[in-house]
Amino acid sequence: MRSSAFRRGCAALLALAAVACAGVPTPRGPGTTAPASRFVVVRHAEKQTGTAAASDPSLTDAGRQRAARLAASLAEDPVVAVYATPYRRTRDTALPTAHMHGLQITEYDPRQPAPTLVDALRDAHPRGTVLVVGHSNTAPAIAAALCACEVAAMGEDEYDHRYLIDIDGDGRVRLSDIPLP
């Protein structure tokens, strides 16, 4: 049977150790799965067709509603950046999320190779959630470059893909394609 002095001494040492370790980050071990960064890649929402501004159309009512749902889906995420191409339909898709998080939209060139864009995104944003709004012919390539995996091509009439690319603290990557309701 241990003495009460011994138990008090052990308790004091444990308390001292807890104080000494307070604020010291726990090292990430090989089993860590919490995402360090998340990239959300989407195609712009539904665009108007047959208008005078056919080269740079606005969103339809359904497109504006989808953009609002996208923002709502990211309301609890620590969004640190929002990217869109210089076209009205991508900026209008990104705008509700940018406003919700108090961010400006950063434009990127949709003609640049996806791996070049992805390298810049990963370097600039090692932590947090980043929204990237692209086009049917660029969003799958961006998602593929982020996950280093195959992503199927997207049809011209598909607007509901929401690629979530989670990268944990150990650099492991997971891709999910979760449709936006």
Side-chain angles (χ1 to χ4, degrees):
M1 182 170 213
R2 302 222 193 257
S3 74
S4 62
F6 178 78
R7 279 182 271 154
R8 282 192 307 272
C10 287
L13 283 174
L14 287 173
L16 182 61
V19 170
C21 291
V24 176
T26 304
R28 290 190 174 269
T32 302
T33 57
S37 60
R38 168 176 274 183
F39 294 90
V40 179
V41 181
V42 299
R43 176 198 183 179
H44 61 78
E46 290 87 341
K47 63 182 179 179
Q48 293 183 358
T49 58
T51 65
S55 65
D56 192 13
S58 300
L59 297 179
T60 63
D61 287 339
R64 285 188 290 281
Q65 291 171 7
R66 185 180 301 277
R69 288 193 311 272
L70 174 62
S73 78
L74 295 171
E76 300 299 319
D77 284 34
V79 177
V80 296
V82 177
Y83 287 81
T85 65
Y87 297 98
R88 183 178 305 156
R89 58 194 176 273
T90 56
R91 290 190 321 263
D92 289 351
T93 302
L95 195 58
T97 300
H99 280 171
M100 179 178 285
H101 293 278
L103 299 168
Q104 296 293 315
I105 297 171
T106 302
E107 287 188 359
Y108 71 94
D109 183 350
R111 294 175 302 247
Q112 72 181 302
T116 303
L117 172 63
V118 164
D119 286 345
L121 291 173
R122 287 181 121 183
D123 287 346
H125 308 290
R127 297 219 171 278
T129 299
V130 177
L131 172 63
V132 181
V133 182
H135 302 270
S136 62
N137 62 340
T138 63
I142 294 167
L146 280 162
C147 70
C149 63
E150 278 194 46
V151 175
M154 185 183 297
E156 187 60 31
D157 61 344
E158 295 180 76
Y159 293 96
D160 64 344
H161 288 277
R162 183 175 41 157
Y163 302 110
L164 305 176
I165 301 92
D166 291 316
I167 304 170
D168 74 14
D170 295 324
R172 289 184 297 249
V173 180
R174 187 181 80 226
L175 168 72
S176 304
D177 182 359
I178 301 174
L180 187 63

